[in-house]
Amino acid sequence: MSNNYSKEEIAEKLKEIMVNDFEISEDLIKPEANLFKDLEFDSIDAVDLAVKLQQYTGKRIQPQDFKEIRTFEDVVNAVSELLK
């Protein structure tokens, strides 16, 4: 994947993943949405998301970086950083 993607494009792709793979209502996916409280992720979902992000970016998110992720916007920012 090239690094020419804007945060808006990354957000759209991540939203697509969350709707299709995690069956989350698109209405709930907002930048400030907390993955665990608002989107009802559990630890297995978080691992699955990390795998999906690795497939999407071709790069692995470091576990210490993934622990910092709390909101949808955090995921977008982490993917954006990976693609730099």
Side-chain angles (χ1 to χ4, degrees):
M1 178 176 190
S2 89
N3 57 0
N4 295 331
Y5 286 84
S6 69
K7 283 191 177 181
E8 291 78 20
E9 290 169 316
I10 293 168
E12 282 305 310
K13 179 61 178 175
L14 292 175
K15 192 178 285 190
E16 182 183 308
I17 289 170
M18 290 189 165
V19 169
N20 294 333
D21 296 341
F22 296 95
E23 299 177 354
I24 294 171
S25 171
E26 192 169 341
D27 297 343
L28 297 175
I29 304 171
K30 298 175 175 55
E32 68 279 4
N34 183 290
L35 297 178
F36 302 96
K37 293 177 185 167
D38 301 323
L39 304 181
E40 299 181 359
F41 266 56
D42 59 23
S43 57
I44 294 172
D45 291 330
V47 170
D48 289 344
L49 180 60
V51 170
K52 294 281 181 195
L53 295 178
Q54 184 175 348
Q55 291 169 346
Y56 174 58
T57 63
K59 298 180 182 179
R60 186 171 181 266
I61 294 180
Q62 297 303 312
Q64 66 271 19
D65 295 338
F66 203 76
K67 287 180 184 175
E68 303 294 316
I69 293 174
R70 293 285 174 257
T71 66
F72 180 75
E73 186 172 35
D74 291 344
V75 178
V76 172
N77 290 335
V79 170
S80 180
E81 284 298 311
L82 276 178
L83 295 175
K84 285 186 176 178

